[in-house]
Amino acid sequence: GGDLRLRNFVSPADRKRFSTSVFIPFSRKTLCSRDLEGSEAMAQPLVKKDDDRDDEAEYSPFMGIEKGAVLQEARVFNDPQLDPRRCSQVITKLLYLLNQGETFTKVEATEVFFAVTKLFQSRDVGLRRMLYLMIKELSPSADEVIIVTSSLMKDMNSKTDMYRANAIRVLCRITDGVLLTQIERYLKQAIVDKNPVVASAALVSGIHLLQTNPEVVKRWSNEVQEAVQSRAALVQFHALALLHQIRQNDRLAVSKLVTSLTRGTVRSPLAQCLLIRYTSQVIRESASNSQGDRPFYDFLEGCLRHKAEMVIFEAARAITELSGVTSRELTPAITVLQLFLSSSKPVLRFAAVRTLNKVAMTHPMAVTNCNIDMESLISDQNRSIATLAITTLLKTGNESSVDRLMKQITNFMSDIADEFKIVVVEAIRSLCLKFPLKYRALMNFLSNILREEGGFEYKKAIVDSIVILIRDIPDAKESGLLHLCEFIEDCEFTYLSTQILHFLGIEGPKTSDPSKYIRYIYNRVHLENATVRAAAVSTLAKFGAMVDALKPRVFVLLRRCLFDSDDEVRDRATLYLNTLGGDGEVVETDKDVKEFLFGALEIPLVNLETSLRNYVAAEEAFDINSVPKEVKSQPLAEKKAPGKKQPTGLGAPPAAPPSTVDAYEKLLSSIPELASLGKPFKSSAPTELTEAETEYAVNVVKHIYDRHVVFQYNCTNTIPEQLLEEVSVVVDSSDAEEFSFVLSKPLRSLPYDSPGQTFAVFEKPEGVPAVGKFSNTLKFIVKESPTSGMHGKAWMLTLSVWMNMGLVPGKALLKPLMPSSLFSECSLARSVFLLYN
């Protein structure tokens, strides 16, 4: 690491002066340097730590160094009599600057590179190691590589193994394909070298070169295969990794590799862990084709008796992650994980409890035997281990153990961070849904921690849990609503207050005594900010609409809100007073009023806003039925444009509708011609059919049915002066012989910047694979005035579909396909995707 390099090349005198400091590894993170004094940190001793400072404070010996000064110091490389210690210090500073993100100009990098190459004349071993690092970091250009190639090749054939290994690494880092073929023979010899350091260097270089020159590296298979049999642990590990990467695209070759190696030829624990992972991959790939016992399961079970702990854990985790694993197959893995729970090593305890936590999600009964061991981990000093133990116990515990667990968790919650508390809250919610009769104890626990200090995400998790329990457990409704009412009395988060008020307006009127919630709601009108006050007004109106007996009292409160300082609050109060009747009599509220207050708005707000903007500029009357119900797709150029990261969590508005699939199903079922096809079991992501700069933007969504394919073309008119009418997509299926055209549904009108949909339906053969390419042409009538119009058309990208009836429904795989020649001529050719059914 960088700290080791630093210790090796700082002089003994300086090291003595730096004895109070902590050396930091090379990193792109800013090193702690606030406790250093002086402008020349490398020349001045570090100041001592004050008595009141943290004993763990970190110091950097690089405080105050500047690129210009270091470049001046680099002239020491040109001295006739080289000082290895001084040169090493200068290289250390240069490496530090590079790793901190400092950029060198072309001239500066070239000067430093040429100066560094002169250090090859030095015989100092330490300086030579720093020289190798410097050349790798500088990444010289092709014309500069030639200068050091001869020196590096000389080192690669040196009798000093350290020179050979590092020279191989550097050469493979800076070389190109032409030079690689010249040194290929030396690299093959290095792979089977008797020195493990040299062999590992060549193998690791091969792993890197496989990304840029795969055809060269694949010729090394015989040498790599020989290296797999090496007695050196790291050589065997690196050789197995490289051999697998060479064969990873050939399933049969990987299966043969695993079969040959599972017979006991792997000695390295690291290589054994790799082999276990490759074996799991082969098992997963062969699971759908095999019957009866799993292949290689005996090998995984045998690895549970390995002497190395890492191999035992890797095998246990592999067994627990097998698809469709049975209790009999899990038992040996659970047994060794249970032994790890009582290990003295924190890393083993953490690994075991985390794996058991995942197993408890699917096989809770298999983990119950470990509950006693996990209860002892609740008091573990490592809070991550304790949190995982608690959540696992909550998943595997029975109804009789709930009270005991709650007592332990109460003392535990105050010692952990919010991120761990959220995990515990979610586990408690799952436990309450599992044992509904224990809702009182669990609800009281949630309400108690809701009153404690905590951040927004933590409080949001608790509120969400209480809301879910109220919805799923009817008996918990009234107590849960009261807990939420008490929370908003002293809630510092506006979003949580508005969410609770909204939920209270839906569930509160359905309780046995709705009047007891009015006080909590009206308090918000006096004590909160404008956003919460507006939400409270809406909630009051819902109580008045749903509970006729409360209507007079609600009217009195709403009239008081007419004098609020915020216009939104006043407008809402005025609206609800007029909607509910205004006189405050105890009469039944009209059905239309209830629908207005409680009904969901089926129209996306973005589309409604766009239609209202068009209405302001037009003379026609506004018709809400003309607003498109489909969510407007984001233009391609907008998707690619970089922007600020949007806020996430409850504190930010949702960026998209909660479920695109539900929106698609709702849209398709609302069209009579498509509703008869049934429910689609897969909808693809939108595929752009036009370029970003075109006048008419079109993308397509493919909906897959049992015997049909529905193409949904989402069209957007980007020209303000034009109105498009009779918009349709003409689909040429001459290259899709297996598909037969059924119907198309055109779009009657497409105003500016208002998205619309047109559909085309094709029937596919049942029980056989179907492949087809569909050419698309957009046709429409352009109107720039009410009395004139002209026909127009626009060509779009070819759409390709591959329907394979033998695959599991609902799995979509993407594969590139070459576009047709027609659209290559139109400069609209692009990679498109096949949707596998």
Side-chain angles (χ1 to χ4, degrees):
D3 53 341
L4 182 59
R5 284 174 267 168
L6 210 59
R7 292 179 187 276
N8 288 341
F9 300 108
V10 176
S11 66
D14 287 341
R15 197 179 305 157
K16 184 176 181 181
R17 290 184 307 192
F18 297 161
S19 59
T20 60
S21 66
V22 179
F23 284 87
I24 316 300
F26 286 111
S27 170
R28 292 194 181 276
K29 297 180 180 177
T30 303
L31 302 181
C32 180
S33 56
R34 61 182 178 275
D35 299 320
L36 299 179
E37 295 178 356
S39 59
E40 298 179 1
M42 292 296 292
Q44 298 294 333
L46 297 179
V47 296
K48 293 184 178 180
K49 293 184 285 186
D50 293 338
D51 295 336
D52 58 344
R53 286 177 180 163
D54 188 3
D55 293 335
E56 303 267 337
E58 297 177 341
Y59 297 87
S60 169
F62 301 104
M63 177 64 180
I65 66 173
E66 297 180 356
K67 183 179 72 172
V70 177
L71 291 176
Q72 290 291 331
E73 291 183 50
R75 294 180 178 179
V76 72
F77 301 153
N78 300 318
D79 291 348
Q81 297 294 328
L82 291 176
D83 182 356
R85 184 188 65 83
R86 183 60 181 159
C87 291
S88 296
Q89 287 182 343
V90 175
I91 291 179
T92 302
K93 294 180 183 180
L94 289 169
L95 289 171
Y96 170 79
L97 290 173
L98 288 170
N99 280 272
Q100 288 296 306
E102 188 74 51
T103 57
F104 288 3
T105 65
K106 178 66 176 176
V107 175
E108 291 171 343
T110 302
E111 290 178 354
V112 171
F113 174 75
F114 279 106
V116 165
T117 57
K118 296 180 181 180
L119 300 180
F120 274 107
Q121 60 186 316
S122 173
R123 298 297 178 184
D124 186 82
V125 176
L127 179 59
R128 184 64 61 90
R129 294 179 65 188
M130 299 297 288
L131 171 60
Y132 291 135
L133 284 172
M134 195 65 205
I135 294 175
K136 283 178 64 177
E137 289 294 329
L138 284 175
S139 298
S141 59
D143 52 344
E144 296 171 344
V145 168
I146 302 174
I147 298 171
V148 293
T149 299
S150 58
S151 299
L152 290 173
M153 292 185 68
K154 181 180 178 182
D155 284 354
M156 196 167 63
N157 296 296
S158 170
K159 294 181 179 180
T160 306
D161 291 331
M162 192 275 294
Y163 285 2
R164 295 169 60 200
N166 284 314
I168 289 171
R169 291 178 183 271
V170 177
L171 262 177
C172 293
R173 173 71 177 269
I174 66 177
T175 189
D176 56 8
V178 177
L179 179 60
L180 182 60
T181 57
Q182 299 177 13
I183 64 173
E184 182 180 1
R185 178 170 60 88
Y186 300 105
L187 294 176
K188 285 184 177 182
Q189 293 174 356
I191 290 175
V192 294
D193 195 274
K194 293 181 180 179
N195 189 294
V197 177
V198 176
S200 282
L203 290 166
V204 172
S205 299
I207 293 174
H208 292 302
L209 288 172
L210 193 63
Q211 311 300 322
T212 55
N213 297 277
E215 66 285 344
V216 176
V217 180
K218 287 179 180 178
R219 296 199 292 262
W220 305 351
S221 294
N222 293 334
E223 289 76 12
V224 177
Q225 184 76 49
E226 185 179 344
V228 171
Q229 310 302 325
S230 172
R231 293 183 176 274
L234 275 180
V235 173
Q236 195 173 49
F237 169 65
H238 291 142
L240 179 56
L242 178 56
L243 190 60
H244 178 266
Q245 287 197 24
I246 291 174
R247 301 182 179 180
Q248 63 183 349
N249 295 323
D250 187 347
R251 288 189 180 182
L252 182 60
V254 172
S255 181
K256 288 181 179 179
L257 173 65
V258 170
T259 303
S260 63
L261 294 178
T262 51
R263 295 169 184 167
T265 58
V266 177
R267 301 179 184 87
S268 165
L270 289 170
Q272 191 82 354
C273 291
L274 266 187
L275 181 58
I276 291 172
R277 295 185 181 183
Y278 301 154
T279 303
S280 301
Q281 177 186 352
V282 173
I283 293 176
R284 284 194 300 270
E285 292 174 350
S286 61
S288 57
N289 301 324
S290 62
Q291 300 292 333
D293 294 339
R294 299 177 189 272
F296 307 113
Y297 174 78
D298 292 338
F299 166 73
L300 295 179
E301 189 176 5
C303 291
L304 296 174
R305 296 181 287 275
H306 199 277
K307 60 182 179 180
E309 292 169 336
M310 70 170 77
V311 176
I312 297 173
F313 170 72
E314 192 69 35
R317 188 180 68 169
I319 291 175
T320 60
E321 292 178 351
L322 292 176
S323 59
V325 64
T326 63
S327 299
R328 183 184 66 82
E329 293 171 332
L330 273 177
T331 301
I334 299 296
T335 302
V336 298
L337 291 174
Q338 185 176 4
L339 294 175
F340 284 170
L341 291 176
S342 55
S343 172
S344 59
K345 300 177 181 179
V347 66
L348 282 181
R349 297 199 303 273
F350 175 79
V353 73
R354 185 174 66 168
T355 305
L356 290 172
N357 185 278
K358 293 180 180 178
V359 176
M361 297 179 184
T362 54
H363 297 81
M365 296 305 298
V367 188
T368 52
N369 294 334
C370 307
N371 283 2
I372 296 176
D373 298 277
M374 280 189 287
E375 285 189 18
S376 63
L377 295 179
I378 296 177
S379 57
D380 195 283
Q381 292 181 350
N382 189 308
R383 295 290 86 187
S384 299
I385 296 175
T387 304
L388 286 169
I390 281 286
T391 54
T392 308
L393 287 169
L394 291 174
K395 294 171 185 175
T396 60
N398 51 37
E399 195 166 359
S400 59
S401 64
V402 171
D403 295 330
R404 185 179 75 256
L405 286 174
M406 286 298 102
K407 292 180 181 178
Q408 292 177 301
I409 295 175
T410 302
N411 301 326
F412 165 80
M413 291 291 282
S414 58
D415 300 331
I416 60 176
D418 280 3
E419 56 182 328
F420 297 127
K421 292 179 181 178
I422 294 174
V423 177
V424 175
V425 168
E426 292 173 350
I428 290 174
R429 178 179 67 201
S430 301
L431 183 68
C432 191
L433 295 175
K434 183 179 179 182
F435 303 116
L437 295 179
K438 290 292 182 179
Y439 78 88
R440 293 184 185 276
L442 298 174
M443 188 73 81
N444 289 334
F445 174 81
L446 291 175
S447 66
N448 289 334
I449 61 176
L450 188 60
R451 299 188 189 97
E452 298 175 357
E453 293 294 326
F456 170 76
E457 293 295 336
Y458 173 47
K459 295 296 182 72
K460 173 181 177 294
I462 301 173
V463 171
D464 290 344
S465 298
I466 294 177
V467 168
I468 291 174
L469 297 182
I470 290 173
R471 287 174 175 171
D472 294 352
I473 305 176
D475 293 340
K477 178 181 289 188
E478 301 217 4
S479 60
L481 289 177
L482 284 176
H483 290 318
L484 293 178
C485 287
E486 293 173 0
F487 171 63
I488 60 175
E489 288 287 336
D490 190 25
C491 177
E492 56 184 319
F493 303 108
T494 299
Y495 190 83
L496 287 181
S497 296
T498 55
Q499 291 295 94
I500 292 174
L501 286 170
H502 173 73
F503 181 71
L504 197 60
I506 296 173
E507 299 294 337
K510 303 175 185 177
T511 58
S512 58
D513 185 13
S515 61
K516 61 184 176 183
Y517 305 110
I518 299 295
R519 174 173 62 89
Y520 298 100
I521 299 171
Y522 189 65
N523 282 346
R524 309 280 64 76
V525 177
H526 288 288
L527 304 176
E528 298 287 355
N529 56 44
T531 304
V532 179
R533 295 203 304 272
V537 169
S538 298
T539 304
L540 284 174
K542 291 178 180 179
F543 272 81
M546 296 299 292
V547 186
D548 296 329
L550 293 178
K551 187 177 291 188
R553 298 163 59 183
V554 169
F555 267 89
V556 173
L557 300 178
L558 289 177
R559 288 194 184 99
R560 294 178 182 175
C561 298
L562 294 174
F563 304 99
D564 193 273
S565 58
D566 185 76
D567 57 349
E568 173 71 17
V569 179
R570 297 194 303 271
D571 290 347
R572 290 196 185 195
T574 304
L575 172 65
Y576 294 135
L577 283 172
N578 287 279
T579 304
L580 294 175
D583 49 7
E585 297 178 359
V586 184
V587 294
E588 184 177 356
T589 307
D590 294 339
K591 183 179 179 180
D592 293 340
V593 174
K594 292 182 180 180
E595 180 66 25
F596 172 73
L597 291 175
F598 291 92
L601 183 64
E602 298 180 356
I603 302 171
L605 292 177
V606 176
N607 294 359
L608 180 60
E609 180 185 1
T610 303
S611 298
L612 288 173
R613 290 183 183 276
N614 295 335
Y615 160 72
V616 171
E619 299 179 357
E620 299 178 359
F622 178 75
D623 183 7
I624 196 169
N625 295 322
S626 64
V627 180
K629 296 182 179 180
E630 173 63 13
V631 179
K632 178 182 178 181
S633 61
Q634 191 179 18
L636 186 64
E638 189 176 330
K639 291 179 183 177
K640 294 182 178 180
K644 295 182 179 180
K645 183 178 179 181
Q646 296 297 323
T648 57
L650 252 177
S659 175
T660 308
V661 176
D662 293 341
Y664 285 148
E665 291 180 0
K666 195 170 184 179
L667 173 67
L668 295 172
S669 61
S670 65
I671 301 173
E673 296 91 336
L674 304 180
S676 59
L677 301 179
K679 182 179 178 182
F681 59 76
K682 185 64 185 177
S683 297
S684 72
T687 301
E688 299 293 338
L689 297 181
T690 57
E691 299 291 344
E693 62 274 4
T694 54
E695 298 172 341
Y696 313 110
V698 182
N699 64 48
V700 63
V701 178
K702 290 165 278 190
H703 304 289
I704 309 302
Y705 292 80
D706 292 334
R707 296 191 58 184
H708 296 84
V709 182
V710 175
F711 299 120
Q712 173 188 328
Y713 298 95
N714 302 311
C715 310
T716 305
N717 175 16
T718 62
I719 303 179
E721 299 83 7
Q722 292 184 357
L723 171 67
L724 305 186
E725 293 186 350
E726 301 301 328
V727 180
S728 64
V729 175
V730 178
V731 184
D732 180 6
S733 58
S734 57
D735 292 333
E737 298 178 355
E738 293 88 352
F739 295 84
S740 57
F741 176 76
V742 178
L743 62 92
S744 65
K745 183 174 177 56
L747 182 63
R748 196 160 67 178
S749 175
L750 186 63
Y752 162 67
D753 201 27
S754 180
Q757 296 80 34
T758 176
F759 298 86
V761 182
F762 285 82
E763 187 176 6
K764 65 181 182 180
E766 187 174 10
V768 295
V771 183
K773 290 197 297 183
F774 301 84
S775 301
N776 308 284
T777 305
L778 182 68
K779 289 193 173 183
F780 46 83
I781 298 175
V782 181
K783 282 196 172 183
E784 296 185 357
S785 66
T787 58
S788 65
M790 52 184 264
H791 292 271
K793 73 171 61 173
W795 285 272
M796 299 180 293
L797 192 66
T798 301
L799 180 65
S800 301
V801 176
W802 184 351
M803 310 297 297
N804 187 349
M805 301 308 295
L807 297 180
V808 179
K811 290 188 177 180
L813 304 176
L814 298 180
K815 181 179 180 182
L817 184 74
M818 292 300 294
S820 66
S821 58
L822 168 64
F823 298 100
S824 298
E825 296 172 2
C826 296
S827 301
L828 294 176
R830 182 184 306 168
S831 294
V832 296
F833 298 101
L834 302 179
L835 177 65
Y836 289 80
N837 174 3

